[in-house]
Amino acid sequence: MNFEKINFKNAQGYELSGRLELPANRHPHNYAVFAHCFTCSKNFSATKNISRALTTAGYGVLRFDFTGLGDSDGDFADTNFSGNVDDLLAAIDFLETNYKAPSLLIGHSLGGAAVIFASAKANSIKAVATIGAPSDTKHVSHLFGDQINAITENGEATVQLSGRPFKIKEQFLKDINEQHVTNTLKALRKPILIAHSPQDDTVGIKHAEKLYHAAVHPKSFISLDGADHLLMNKTDSKYIGEVIAKWASRYIEEPKEEVLNSKDNVAASLNHEDIFTTQMKAGNHYFTADEPESVGGNNFGPTPFDLLSSGLAACTVMTIQMYARRKEWKVDNVQCHVNYDKQFPVNGNLDGVEIDTFTREIKITGDLDEKKLKRILQIADKCPVHKTLHSETQVVTKLMS
């Protein structure tokens, strides 16, 4: 997984802090924005786990702190639900301007209600997913307990939320009482996935039922059976992230990857715009080769010399284990670590010229005496790739018609 620290401004001019997570071995096929739960942050564990499940599936995911939370500017006391929706729209605009317009919105808890409103205003959004979302925003007011009267009478009050003090103003209460999630959902003509736990004691399962009935098809429901509202169990958050990615693939267009066809043992294909990112086929296996970012690549795969070194390392351990089995020597594990660079010959070089050098280190785990270990080192030098590197070779090149 790769990531970039992101900062962008919302409609009020506050700078919001975000993190754009990207797939480790490819360019994103689509972008998504994640809205965290009420008073949470972009670094909340469930938020991170869900985002990373999506990046594994090829998405670029922007998760950010709403105004006044986490590392974002602004005063939480001056914010409200409508402001969260505006922050989401600012995040969507930022991606569209600097990367690519997002096609998927995901929201957790109150963030789930926010993505419903935001998706109704963002044309680029093709699918929406909510997790433990309330069917009405005023449901949040139950978290304020007996402080609601104080908020109404005094205009504001400090309430304890998740063990932390937050100042809530009367305008916040007024705003959540004026929002109608189900009405907005009824008018929304976009695929939606509603995920909820039957055991959620913060936002009851009845809310999911109301959301589902309000939504129009195509709509889907996933039961997060056994999960708590905040998805504190990593297995639950990782699971729903994977489900969302798979579900969204029915509604979000993913560019078709060209399959490299070849009857030869190994083939490589590189388009002009990909710089160094090369599609590879070896036997029936497909992967990517690349160069580091320091030389202009994307670092999406091993370098050509990494691949060459990999061949030596793989052949070495295979040869050693094959010999040990034949000799009935129990070698529990053999590791081979290889580095490639230019060095002076170990036996000296009168010309003072550095040559291609593979530094190979072998680690043996097993009950072997010194004599057997010495023999295994000799066998390592007999591995076919090692012998090929030392032999006289030729490369015959011709153009294909």
Side-chain angles (χ1 to χ4, degrees), residues 193-400:
L193 171 67
I194 300 164
H196 216 106
S197 169
Q199 293 82 23
D200 191 332
D201 56 8
T202 301
V203 180
I205 190 65
K206 284 290 184 180
H207 285 272
E209 183 179 342
K210 291 178 181 178
L211 289 174
Y212 187 83
H213 284 302
V216 296
H217 285 294
K219 56 184 177 180
S220 303
F221 172 76
I222 289 291
S223 175
L224 296 173
D225 190 32
D228 59 79
H229 180 68
L230 294 179
L231 305 181
M232 296 304 292
N233 187 323
K234 182 178 180 180
T235 302
D236 295 325
S237 51
K238 183 175 181 289
Y239 164 75
I240 192 56
E242 294 170 347
V243 169
I244 290 171
K246 194 65 178 178
W247 167 82
S249 66
R250 295 183 65 88
Y251 308 107
I252 295 176
E253 183 177 354
E254 298 181 15
K256 291 184 178 180
E257 295 184 4
E258 296 182 8
V259 177
L260 181 56
N261 293 315
S262 176
K263 295 181 180 179
D264 295 306
N265 295 332
V266 175
S269 176
L270 176 61
N271 294 325
H272 170 76
E273 62 273 13
D274 291 329
I275 312 300
F276 290 116
T277 305
T278 304
Q279 302 309 309
M280 300 291 302
K281 176 182 180 292
N284 294 322
H285 306 282
Y286 296 85
F287 56 97
T288 301
D290 208 338
E291 290 286 355
E293 294 180 2
S294 60
V295 297
N298 290 300
N299 198 32
F300 286 163
T303 70
F305 278 103
D306 287 341
L307 292 170
L308 187 58
S309 299
S310 298
L312 176 60
C315 188
T316 298
V317 299
M318 290 178 184
T319 301
I320 289 173
Q321 282 287 19
M322 182 176 66
Y323 180 81
R325 283 194 296 271
R326 189 165 66 238
K327 287 289 189 179
E328 297 184 349
W329 297 350
K330 191 172 186 305
V331 174
D332 297 319
N333 178 264
V334 54
Q335 294 182 18
C336 181
H337 302 256
V338 177
N339 285 301
Y340 165 83
D341 60 2
K342 297 275 191 177
Q343 294 182 13
F344 293 111
V346 294
N347 296 324
N349 187 326
L350 296 178
D351 297 328
V353 177
E354 293 181 324
I355 63 173
D356 296 291
T357 303
F358 295 88
T359 303
R360 179 174 57 179
E361 294 182 293
I362 299 171
K363 180 179 180 180
I364 305 292
T365 303
D367 186 18
L368 303 177
D369 57 28
E370 289 297 323
K371 183 179 179 180
K372 291 178 180 178
L373 288 172
K374 184 177 180 180
R375 180 54 180 162
I376 279 180
L377 285 180
Q378 294 173 342
I379 293 300
D381 288 343
K382 298 182 182 297
C383 93
V385 171
H386 181 116
K387 293 169 70 175
T388 297
L389 289 172
H390 279 277
S391 67
E392 184 175 348
T393 62
Q394 63 178 352
V395 177
V396 180
T397 306
K398 59 183 179 180
L399 286 174
M400 295 176 66

Side-chain angles (χ1 to χ4, degrees), residues 136-210:
D136 59 272
T137 55
K138 62 184 178 181
H139 171 77
V140 176
S141 61
H142 87 280
L143 298 174
F144 307 150
D146 56 8
Q147 291 294 89
I148 291 181
N149 290 335
I151 297 172
T152 304
E153 293 173 4
N154 303 321
E156 63 181 47
T158 298
V159 300
Q160 293 292 321
L161 301 172
S162 300
R164 294 177 295 159
F166 288 91
K167 184 184 290 184
I168 304 295
K169 292 185 177 181
E170 187 177 10
Q171 61 88 20
F172 185 96
L173 288 181
K174 181 180 179 182
D175 183 68
I176 59 175
N177 285 330
E178 291 177 349
Q179 308 302 325
H180 302 287
V181 180
T182 52
N183 288 347
T184 301
L185 191 53
K186 287 176 182 177
L188 188 67
R189 295 297 185 267
K190 295 179 180 180
I192 185 168
L193 171 67
I194 300 164
H196 216 106
S197 169
Q199 293 82 23
D200 191 332
D201 56 8
T202 301
V203 180
I205 190 65
K206 284 290 184 180
H207 285 272
E209 183 179 342
K210 291 178 181 178

Side-chain angles (χ1 to χ4, degrees), residues 76-95:
F76 177 79
D78 295 326
T79 66
N80 53 36
F81 177 79
S82 296
N84 289 349
V85 175
D86 290 340
D87 286 352
L88 275 169
L89 294 175
I92 292 170
D93 289 342
F94 172 82
L95 282 179

Side-chain angles (χ1 to χ4, degrees), residues 25-93:
N25 58 356
R26 59 176 294 177
H27 292 293
H29 57 70
N30 280 277
Y31 285 84
V33 179
F34 192 100
H36 61 69
C37 53
F38 185 50
T39 72
C40 296
S41 75
K42 66 180 182 296
N43 295 321
F44 186 65
S45 60
T47 304
K48 292 191 291 186
N49 294 334
I50 294 167
S51 297
R52 289 170 183 173
L54 286 159
T55 59
T56 300
Y59 283 88
V61 183
L62 173 58
R63 48 185 171 94
F64 68 97
D65 296 324
F66 284 125
T67 302
L69 292 171
D71 299 316
S72 290
D73 292 341
D75 188 345
F76 177 79
D78 295 326
T79 66
N80 53 36
F81 177 79
S82 296
N84 289 349
V85 175
D86 290 340
D87 286 352
L88 275 169
L89 294 175
I92 292 170
D93 289 342

